[in-house]
Amino acid sequence: MDAPVIDGWFTVDGGTAHLLGTRCADCRTVCFPPRTGFCPNPRCAGENLAETRLSRRGTVWSYTNACYPPPTPFVAAEPYTPVTLAAVELAEEGIVVLGQVKDLTVEELHVGMELELTWGPLADGPPVWMWGRP
Amino acid sequence: MSAVVLGAGMHPWGKWGRPFTEYGVAAARAALRDADLAWTDVQYVVGAGTIRNGYPGFVAGATFAQAMGWSGARIASCYAACASGAQALDIARTRILAGLCDVAMVVGADSTPKGFFKPVGGDRPDDPDWLRFRLLGATNPAYFALYARRRMALYGDTAEDFAAVKVKNALAGSLNDNARYRRTVTAGQVLDSPMVADPLRLMDICATSDGAAALVLASEDFARRHGARGPVRLAAVSTVTPSFPDTVLGLPDFATDSTAAVPPPERTFRASIAHAAYEEAGLGPGDLSFAEVYDLSTALELDWVEEIGLCPPGEAGKLLRAGDTSLGGRIPVNPSGGLASFGEAVPAQAIAQVCELTWQLRGRAGSRQITGARVGLAANQGLFGHGSAIIATT
């Protein structure tokens, strides 16, 4: 795998993709993207945020696509095929995470269906996390 | 004691291709004429800023003050994305209520580039707005589409419902001289327009526009001395953040807050914006004569109708289909024509909403006048967690 498009947000371990969040040692609040410094819970003074791998499966909260090429700094493929996006709810963490969808169009998605984390390359090469068919 | 609106003014919205300062000055002068005051009577000026015009936009207050002619007034500039205008209003109103000035000018204007809003240039991986485009290509309409699709799944709303919002707002906009789009549209035209972010089509999504709006605020005492009869009162200006954990995916975020440790708050962010205004005004949704809400997309208007409390979650489509939210209906929503008819000129739009509240409450909204309008609410949400709502009364 090339260097990820951003450091520390996801990893591919033995071919399996994982989102990397943080968990507050004091109140157990989970964050994605990972945070440094201070827990976002306004009633928690926690400063010990440990890296945690998020659940790899969740249910679709909602989805859409980009029928026109998104503007820079996105790098669109030539010829352009619509990017599909899904917001996926991870039950254990109580968090909804947005990502590109791999190899599925909006016609094949519905709210509530299960998706699994995977990864794929952006048009200019670096890998990013994606949601895919389990 | 209240702060009151003595004057409201706009520059018509469109794609005019001129510097934003010109639009702002035109709106400010219109507001001063409406107030029957001179620029040199203004003791405090607040400019709502935009980041897309570079350095002058960051110092909007001074840019407008210089263009109007340096007058030695107290001054502020404020940027809060789509809530910029409301926060500028909040600052001016607060200064009046504190007794620090009698007359204040609030002005916002923008010259907006064509196409999708996009982040400031350069390689900036520490900026979440830059990152959402770089990693996902997630434009603003993509987020609006997520909300729209969610409505379809939860409540059974249809593309025809969304199109009906556009038809309604375009009809109202056709009666507004300041609106960019003055043509009525049919549901068929909306449903035939190109898909942008499924399920939203081009005519479901508001355009980017040039435009400007300005208000002259005053203390009640000054208004009385000045001879203003029955001026519109600002009963509440709410500027709130979300409450943790915010469980609705908001622009430009990659994820919601987690509910692993803390249960979700009683109200969603958008609902909390209006709630704070109702609490401050001592009023409720049942007191409203009409509302201006942020129809960045057709479907988003339906979310707002529920979140300002006009009906329970899931029932905004029912209100729409019954004609309740149309001009002449029980509780008109976006009688100005909304962003559907104006487009986005970010620092101006929250101020433009209050211009509409003012004209409606004065009974001077012409052919789009709501009979007996007494209380109006304007609500909006600014990127990165700025919420604002304003309640004005006769």
Side-chain angles (χ1 to χ4, degrees):
Chain A
M1 186 172 89
D2 293 342
V5 62
I6 184 162
D7 288 333
W9 287 27
F10 75 106
T11 187
V12 179
D13 184 351
T16 304
H18 298 269
L19 288 172
L20 302 175
T22 47
R23 188 184 296 274
C24 173
D26 291 349
C27 78
R28 315 297 294 163
T29 284
V30 175
C31 291
F32 181 82
R35 285 173 71 112
T36 54
F38 307 98
C39 177
N41 176 356
R43 290 173 184 82
C44 175
E47 298 184 9
N48 182 4
L49 307 179
E51 183 179 288
T52 186
R53 292 182 172 191
L54 303 191
S55 303
R56 297 191 57 256
R57 283 198 186 190
T59 54
V60 172
W61 183 83
S62 194
Y63 60 92
T64 185
N65 61 4
C67 298
Y68 293 87
T72 52
F74 187 79
V75 179
E78 296 270 0
Y80 178 72
T81 50
V83 174
T84 309
L85 293 169
V88 172
E89 189 164 12
L90 309 179
E92 189 192 331
E93 293 86 354
I95 193 170
V96 174
V97 180
L98 187 59
Q100 292 193 33
V101 178
K102 190 174 189 175
D103 300 333
L104 290 168
T105 65
V106 286
E107 286 76 24
E108 296 165 293
L109 293 168
H110 62 264
V111 170
M113 78 186 277
E114 190 170 40
L115 292 180
E116 183 173 81
L117 195 74
T118 181
W119 58 278
L122 290 168
D124 58 336
V128 71
W129 78 88
M130 294 184 178
W131 295 110
R133 209 187 286 277
Chain B
M1 191 173 78
S2 299
V4 302
V5 180
L6 274 193
M10 277 196 210
H11 182 285
W13 294 37
K15 284 280 189 193
W16 307 105
R18 297 204 305 277
F20 76 98
T21 316
E22 282 186 30
Y23 310 138
V25 169
R29 286 186 169 168
L32 285 168
R33 280 194 300 276
D34 188 39
D36 190 26
L37 287 172
W39 165 240
T40 46
D41 295 326
V42 172
Q43 299 158 343
Y44 186 65
V45 56
V46 195
T50 176
I51 61 167
R52 285 187 314 284
N53 288 301
Y55 186 68
F58 282 119
V59 288
T63 302
F64 297 127
Q66 184 182 37
M68 298 284 286
W70 295 127
S71 64
R74 300 289 180 100
I75 190 158
S77 297
C78 111
Y79 180 70
C82 288
S84 297
Q87 289 205 350
L89 188 76
D90 187 46
I91 296 167
R93 172 188 182 240
T94 305
R95 204 163 174 92
I96 289 168
L97 293 179
L100 293 171
C101 75
D102 284 317
V103 181
M105 164 75 78
V106 179
V107 55
D110 207 357
S111 302
T112 308
K114 275 184 75 164
F116 291 117
F117 282 150
K118 56 188 175 192
V120 177
D123 196 29
R124 294 178 304 102
D126 56 349
D127 172 1
D129 199 42
W130 186 89
L131 280 170
R132 57 141 165 164
F133 281 90
R134 175 69 183 113
L135 273 57
L136 304 181
T139 58
N140 291 10
Y143 287 81
F144 309 149
L146 293 173
Y147 306 145
R149 175 60 62 183
R150 183 99 182 136
R151 286 196 68 82
M152 295 171 99
L154 288 189
Y155 308 136
D157 286 4
T158 64
E160 287 73 19
D161 292 330
F162 301 156
V165 174
K166 175 71 174 188
V167 171
K168 171 183 78 71
N169 289 353
L171 178 61
S174 75
L175 307 173
N176 192 336
D177 290 341
N178 288 309
R180 173 177 176 185
Y181 298 104
R182 302 290 311 279
R183 286 200 189 137
T184 58
V185 304
T186 65
Q189 287 173 310
V190 181
L191 294 166
D192 286 343
S193 65
M195 192 70 88
V196 173
D198 190 289
L200 297 178
R201 295 174 181 276
L202 192 60
M203 291 176 74
D204 284 301
I205 298 166
C206 87
T208 60
S209 290
D210 297 357
L215 294 162
V216 176
L217 305 187
S219 64
E220 264 184 322
D221 285 349
F222 179 92
R224 198 176 305 116
R225 290 199 305 274
H226 187 59
R229 276 184 295 182
V232 167
R233 293 164 201 280
L234 293 173
V237 180
S238 104
T239 59
V240 295
T241 71
S243 293
F244 182 85
D246 186 2
T247 59
V248 179
L249 188 69
L251 291 71
D253 295 334
F254 288 87
T256 60
D257 293 332
S258 163
T259 56
V262 182
E266 187 183 345
R267 291 178 192 84
T268 64
F269 176 34
R270 283 196 291 262
S272 72
I273 294 168
H275 181 77
Y278 288 133
E279 290 232 302
E280 185 173 313
L283 296 168
D287 297 308
L288 297 185
S289 312
F290 67 101
E292 288 279 313
V293 303
Y294 247 29
D295 59 327
L296 292 162
S297 82
T298 50
L300 195 62
E301 176 174 304
L302 300 175
D303 284 343
W304 274 113
V305 163
E306 293 158 12
E307 284 152 350
I308 65 172
L310 299 184
C311 64
E315 293 187 12
K318 202 187 294 178
L319 256 62
L320 172 76
R321 290 187 288 272
D324 288 355
T325 55
S326 302
L327 276 179
R330 186 172 60 78
I331 175 75
V333 173
N334 285 325
S336 70
L339 295 173
S341 303
F342 276 75
E344 277 202 88
V346 169
Q349 52 212 36
I351 301 171
Q353 287 180 319
V354 181
C355 288
E356 181 69 9
L357 299 192
T358 301
W359 292 325
Q360 289 285 351
L361 293 171
R362 285 176 177 171
R364 293 211 212 126
S367 50
R368 63 180 194 285
Q369 179 64 46
I370 294 156
T371 309
R374 301 201 45 141
V375 181
L377 176 142
N380 79 63
Q381 185 178 346
L383 205 66
F384 295 92
H386 290 106
S388 75
I390 292 147
I391 294 176
T393 65
T394 52

